[in-house]
């Protein structure tokens, strides 16, 4: 009598279930998609922060530049000097009464003109440079009185530059 050949029987673990390899591949795919999604969210938040920082920096620069431009071109009292005049305190803007008094002014955190520190702005710095420039070409710095002063206000946050504004004040 001839021996009968054993009938093929499908393994039970294949019926209605994932194999171990399929499960691992699925987890890898989900993991990669999750990382990509988190990276996208992180990049979006970073862009929002940078936009906010630039906007705040510009506001800080504009407010100080506006204050400087309410001052006359040169000191109204006595012999004007480039920088603070005799008797004016260079540590606070309270006594500043002309544009070039602000030359080399810097403060962190930013302060009001009275010297009051702006609360919650500890990482921010404002600084000012004033230079005589050629009225016909304000990119050319002059070593002597030229009847035009270029005022540059820079704002840093955490040591990084975030805003720079430049304006020219002339002696009418
Ligand atoms: Ca002055
Ligand atoms: Ca002055």
């Amino acid at each position: 009598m001839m021996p009968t050949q054993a009938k093929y029987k499908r393994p039970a673990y294949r019926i209605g279930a994932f194999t171990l390899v399929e499960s691992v591949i699925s987890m890898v795919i989900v993991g990669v998609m999750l990382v990509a999604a988190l990276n996208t969210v992180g990049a979006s938040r970073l862009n929002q922060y940078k936009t906010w920082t630039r906007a705040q920096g510009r506001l800080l620069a504009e407010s100080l530049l506006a204050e400087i431009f309410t001052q006359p071109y040169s000191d109204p009292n006595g012999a004007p000097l480039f920088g603070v005049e005799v008797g004016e305190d260079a540590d606070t803007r309270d006594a500043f009464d002309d544009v070039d008094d602000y030359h080399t002014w810097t403060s962190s955190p930013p302060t009001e003109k009275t010297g009051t520190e702006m609360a919650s702005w500890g990482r921010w710095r404002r600084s000012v440079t004033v230079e005589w420039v050629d009225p016909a070409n304000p990119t050319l710095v002059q070593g002597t009185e030229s009847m035009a002063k270029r005022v540059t206000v820079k704002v840093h946050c955490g040591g990084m530059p975030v805003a720079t504004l430049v304006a020219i004040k002339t002696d009418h």
Side-chain angles (χ1 to χ4, degrees), residues 75-76 83-85 88 95-98 101:
D75 196 278
V84 293
E85 276 70 28
E88 294 176 349
F96 288 4
D97 58 358
D98 67 88
D101 288 349

Side-chain angles (χ1 to χ4, degrees), residues 27-122:
M27 285 192 297
V28 169
I29 291 172
V30 170
V32 168
M33 291 173 67
L34 188 61
V35 168
L38 289 175
N39 282 341
T40 302
V41 171
S44 175
R45 290 279 166 85
L46 183 60
N47 282 337
Q48 287 177 348
Y49 174 75
K50 285 181 178 177
T51 301
W52 178 85
T53 301
R54 280 195 293 267
Q56 296 303 308
R58 186 173 177 89
L59 285 175
L60 282 172
E62 285 176 348
S63 66
L64 184 53
L65 194 62
E67 175 191 312
I68 295 170
F69 270 67
T70 63
Q71 307 290 357
Y73 179 84
S74 58
D75 196 278
N77 308 309
L81 298 173
F82 194 91
V84 293
E85 276 70 28
V86 175
E88 294 176 349
D89 185 0
D91 294 331
T92 170
R93 306 196 310 272
D94 203 21
F96 288 4
D97 58 358
D98 67 88
V99 168
D100 59 53
D101 288 349
Y102 290 80
H103 180 54
T104 70
W105 167 259
T106 186
S107 71
S108 180
T111 58
E112 305 289 349
K113 191 172 191 300
T114 57
T116 305
E117 290 186 354
M118 296 180 178
S120 306
W121 292 86

Side-chain angles (χ1 to χ4, degrees), residues 146-158:
S146 62
M147 304 303 169
K149 291 172 181 169
R150 185 176 68 194
V151 180
T152 305
V153 177
K154 293 184 176 179
V155 177
H156 288 72
C157 179

